[in-house]
Every structure is written in C-alpha cells, then in structure tokens.
Amino acid sequence: MYGHGPGNGSLLVLPLDQGLEHGPTDFFPNPPAIDPDYQFRLAVEGNFSAIALGVGLAEKYMGEWCGRIPLILKLNGKTNIPSDADATSPLFASVEDAVRLGADAVGYTMYVGSPRQHDEFRQFEKVRQDCERFGMPLVLWSYPRGAAIDAKGGKGSLYAQDYAARVALELGADIVKLHEPDDNRTNVPKPYDTLQEDASTRTQRVVRSAGRTMVLFSGGEKNDDDAAVLRKVEFYMASGATGVMFGRNMWLRPLDQAIALVRQVHQIMAKHPR
C-alpha cells in the first residue's frame, strides 16, 4: 500500500483471473493479452500495487517478475460454463502455496447467497485461519450469486452489494472487492425497495457496510472511453473506497495506451490518500 502503486495507502490492483472465470474469449479483442507477460509488463510499467492471479500463472510466470510487482494469489475460482444458479468456487491452491511463491496477500472468491454458500463458509474458515497463522492479508472477492439473489433484485442491486460488503466484514476479510450497486429496486427486499438514493449515496452506503474492511471496486467490462474510466476512478475514491481493481479496462488496450491511462489513474488516486 505504500511501497508500490500510488504509495499513499490506496490500492491499484491488476487482476488476471479472467482466463479461468470467463475463458479465452476475454482476450480476443487484444490478442497480445493472451500472453501473461503482457499483464506483468503492464503491472510493472504502470506501477500497479499488485497483480492478482492463480497458482498456475504464478508458478510459470512470476519468477521473471519476482520483486518487481507484489502478488495476490487467488486460491479458488470456477469456469463460467455451469449455471450461476448453484454457484460455488472450489479451492485449487492454499495459503502455503502463497507463502512458497512469495505472495503478499491471498484472494478468495465467495458467492454470497448461493445455495452452496454453507460449503464456501467452511472452506473460507480454513483459509482465514491459515492466513492468520502465516500473517497473510486476505482479499475477498465478495460476489452475490445464485437463484435466490436473482429472485431478490439480482447481483448488481444495492441489497446484494450491501449484503456482500457486510459479509466480508463479518467473515474477517482484510480487503473486499465489490461492484458498484445499481438502482434496481424491483423485487428487492424491504427496506431497500423504498430507498431512493443516487449513485453516490448507494456506493457510500456499501463502503460503510464494509466497516474496517477496505473496499476495492471493480472496473468491470472494458469501456473504450478513457474519460469514463477516469470518472469511475474519481467516483469510487470520492465514495470512500481504498482503491480499484481494473483488469480488462487496462489490459484489453494496446500496451502504450493502457500505460498512458493508468498514469492518469495515478494522478486521481494521488488526491485520495488513505
């Protein structure tokens, strides 16, 4: 938080878990991005706080970049082939793997509201205990998913994102990755169905619900409008977030354009020390 990236207590993270979560098609718009060295180069030259990726990529590529960019090792994940109605994210790596690979933190995906969340809570318990034992920070991708979430306004609703933020705090995450809540109030539970809040108020509410768990907001799908990306960064930081996690909005651009954009992101984040 102070030795890399903006260096002022805020965080700028470059995720590379989309190849597992979404498949190779995510790289089609920018073919060079299929080579993980592309993202490592972007992370280093763009001065990100960390790169987040799974154990296979870390074992095969991290050695060349070790010491130049901090690593957040993702411990679990899934493909997008099965339906999200019964979503679960099994472990495929351990905190011990993270220690062995010199990671600075671990990442864990939790599907809040899924019919399988009871299994994920138990799985998370062991990860959290191992993190405490090794002194490893824990970043939670707190994602509302499943048929029950779909029936109560959907994964992007304020109800879902607010709940996901609180779950991260209650379960013991150090940092939580969330999505900006939308304004949908159809089928959402009370009293969310009567809240008439603008985007800023909704987003600040989610940050408050995370309490002392630091919040990173997702950049989401690629936006070709650089100015719109920068406005999002300013909006998230002004809403109280600790930082942003921008993947496709960065590495789906040509490298020179991505580096130029991330430098502008740094300028914005410099105004929001944490």
Side-chain angles (χ1 to χ4, degrees):
M1 296 177 72
Y2 297 94
H4 292 265
N8 61 351
S10 60
L11 287 167
L12 176 59
V13 178
L14 185 72
L16 183 56
D17 57 350
Q18 293 86 353
L20 172 65
E21 299 287 341
H22 307 150
T25 55
D26 263 18
F27 305 103
F28 282 16
N30 183 24
I34 193 70
D35 181 354
D37 279 331
Y38 185 94
Q39 285 83 3
F40 275 102
R41 183 178 172 189
L42 172 58
V44 170
E45 296 186 21
N47 191 22
F48 279 77
S49 304
I51 189 169
L53 40 79
V55 65
L57 296 180
E59 288 181 339
K60 292 176 173 62
Y61 294 88
M62 190 70 196
E64 300 171 42
W65 302 92
C66 188
R68 301 171 66 186
I69 182 71
L71 169 64
I72 300 174
L73 187 71
K74 285 293 298 293
L75 303 185
N76 66 337
K78 69 170 185 63
T79 70
N80 69 356
I81 299 169
S83 167
D84 272 351
D86 195 35
T88 188
S89 188
L91 283 170
F92 55 78
S94 67
V95 178
E96 287 88 343
D97 286 323
V99 173
R100 173 175 58 85
L101 290 165
D104 294 85
V106 299
Y108 183 97
T109 298
M110 170 72 68
Y111 290 123
V112 177
S114 166
R116 301 286 299 278
Q117 74 173 10
H118 57 286
D119 295 326
E120 296 201 350
F121 278 14
R122 295 190 185 100
Q123 182 175 261
F124 182 83
E125 176 189 16
K126 177 62 164 56
V127 170
R128 178 184 55 77
Q129 290 172 341
D130 286 345
C131 284
E132 291 173 355
R133 183 159 56 94
F134 287 106
M136 183 71 70
L138 177 51
V139 185
L140 184 66
W141 276 240
S142 193
Y143 284 178
R145 291 290 189 278
I149 289 290
D150 292 341
K152 294 181 178 180
K155 62 187 181 182
S157 69
L158 175 58
Y159 163 74
Q161 291 299 319
D162 207 27
Y163 212 146
R166 185 68 188 197
V167 166
L169 174 62
E170 297 280 349
L171 293 186
D174 297 298
I175 301 171
V176 60
K177 180 193 178 190
L178 300 166
H179 288 82
E180 179 187 341
D182 61 35
D183 61 355
N184 176 53
R185 286 180 284 138
T186 304
N187 297 324
V188 299
K190 296 179 179 180
Y192 290 92
D193 61 337
T194 59
L195 292 179
Q196 299 185 31
E197 298 179 340
D198 61 18
S200 178
T201 305
R202 291 194 303 270
T203 306
Q204 291 176 44
R205 179 184 292 277
V206 168
V207 173
R208 287 198 305 272
S209 290
R212 293 182 178 177
T213 295
M214 295 175 282
V215 174
L216 303 180
F217 279 110
S218 170
E221 296 181 2
K222 181 175 181 281
N223 188 332
D224 291 324
D225 184 349
D226 287 5
V229 173
L230 296 172
R231 285 195 298 270
K232 279 294 183 186
V233 175
E234 175 63 43
F235 174 73
Y236 293 149
M237 299 307 293
S239 298
T242 296
V244 293
M245 190 177 291
F246 275 15
R248 287 168 291 176
N249 266 305
M250 295 298 172
W251 50 253
L252 282 181
R253 286 172 160 79
L255 188 62
D256 58 342
Q257 294 179 22
I259 292 173
L261 179 60
V262 77
R263 286 175 179 163
Q264 295 180 76
V265 171
H266 272 272
Q267 293 174 8
I268 294 171
M269 297 184 75
K271 300 184 296 183
H272 297 276
R274 295 296 186 245

